[in-house]
Amino acid sequence: AVSDERPVSTQSTWAEKRIEEEQSRLMNYIYKSTSTELNRIVFQELLMVHLADLLDKKTTGLTSFFEGLVGARKKEAEADLGRLYNLYLNLGDDGIRPIANRMQEYIANEGQRYVDNARNNQQKGNTGEREMTFIKNLLDLHTRFHGIVTKQFNNHHICDKALGEGFKDFINLQTYVAERLAGYSHTILKRGGKEKIELTINENFGKHR
């Protein structure tokens, strides 16, 4: 069984080792024609049955990896996300979907948090600077997870869709974000940055609007 006290990065390494051991045992003792189904059973037991242990813990689960993408733990978090992706890829789309769903939820929650913070602080400080910070936070969020989808998740179609849906969840449902994006574009255009702003907006939000 997967220990409740084992950090998820250690759990995923443990799962990798167990899978390698079982695959070696299968190759030694059974016919190749039956190994595929037994491999599927091993993956199902180690990864899906213990999915909550591997992905859902608040302090040591998938959310902690996403949070670790900012700061000193970035490289470690990226490595752990790549390891989890490769493990669950053994189960095909059914294995990747739980990771993608949690990523989508995290992105939507982070985006909504930025929106709520910006709205709650409308009376504080310089309006232009505050709204520039808001847009920068959204751009940084997209850049961060686009990098994960591209590198650690190997552009998997389910993860790419989840990235778009995560932003759509809060961008398309609120005029607040669209108005700030328009204002950001206007500000940059006034400064003569037409090509830069068009490229930035299109690359980061174009396909999710």
Side-chain angles (χ1 to χ4, degrees):
V2 178
S3 171
D4 288 341
E5 302 302 322
R6 184 183 289 125
V8 70
S9 58
T10 305
Q11 290 177 8
S12 59
T13 302
W14 172 84
E16 283 180 320
K17 183 177 180 181
R18 284 295 309 276
I19 287 171
E20 290 175 0
E21 290 173 351
E22 294 299 330
Q23 286 179 323
S24 177
R25 185 179 306 169
L26 289 173
M27 293 304 295
N28 288 331
Y29 295 106
I30 67 173
Y31 291 108
K32 290 184 179 180
S33 61
T34 59
S35 64
T36 300
E37 177 61 18
L38 290 174
N39 266 327
R40 187 193 65 78
I41 294 172
V42 170
F43 294 141
Q44 183 74 24
E45 173 65 24
L46 291 178
L47 301 179
M48 300 305 282
V49 172
H50 298 292
L51 184 143
D53 289 323
L54 287 166
L55 301 185
D56 289 338
K57 290 190 175 182
K58 291 183 179 179
T59 57
T60 59
L62 198 55
T63 296
S64 72
F65 292 168
F66 293 150
E67 292 174 347
L69 293 172
V70 177
R73 293 177 50 230
K74 180 180 178 181
K75 289 186 177 179
E76 179 184 351
E78 289 175 342
D80 286 331
L81 286 168
R83 182 180 297 111
L84 274 181
Y85 169 81
N86 287 324
L87 277 174
Y88 279 86
L89 188 61
N90 286 297
L91 289 168
D93 288 356
D94 288 342
I96 298 303
R97 196 166 284 110
I99 294 176
N101 289 344
R102 286 158 177 78
M103 181 182 73
Q104 177 180 332
E105 182 180 3
Y106 181 87
I107 290 170
N109 289 339
E110 280 294 283
Q112 188 60 54
R113 183 171 67 84
Y114 290 141
V115 171
D116 292 342
N117 286 344
R119 280 176 164 167
N120 293 336
N121 294 320
Q122 287 188 45
Q123 305 304 319
K124 299 179 181 179
N126 180 278
T127 300
E129 291 180 358
R130 185 178 63 251
E131 294 192 351
M132 287 288 283
T133 298
F134 169 65
I135 295 301
K136 181 180 182 299
N137 285 336
L138 295 186
L139 292 172
D140 287 348
L141 181 65
H142 189 279
T143 298
R144 191 184 320 149
F145 280 92
H146 183 266
I148 292 300
V149 169
T150 301
K151 297 177 182 177
Q152 278 68 36
F153 296 167
N154 200 31
N155 281 318
H156 195 284
H157 66 98
I158 292 178
C159 296
D160 185 61
K161 181 179 179 181
L163 173 65
E165 292 297 325
F167 278 87
K168 187 184 297 183
D169 285 346
F170 68 91
I171 287 180
N172 285 2
L173 299 179
Q174 303 179 75
T175 59
Y176 183 89
V177 179
E179 290 170 356
R180 270 63 196 174
L181 285 172
Y184 176 70
S185 300
H186 180 69
T187 299
I188 299 300
L189 288 174
K190 285 175 61 178
R191 296 176 181 174
K194 180 178 180 180
E195 293 183 0
K196 180 178 180 181
I197 184 59
E198 286 182 347
L199 179 64
T200 301
I201 294 297
N202 287 334
E203 282 188 345
N204 287 277
F205 298 111
K207 70 177 182 177
H208 305 318
R209 296 169 67 184

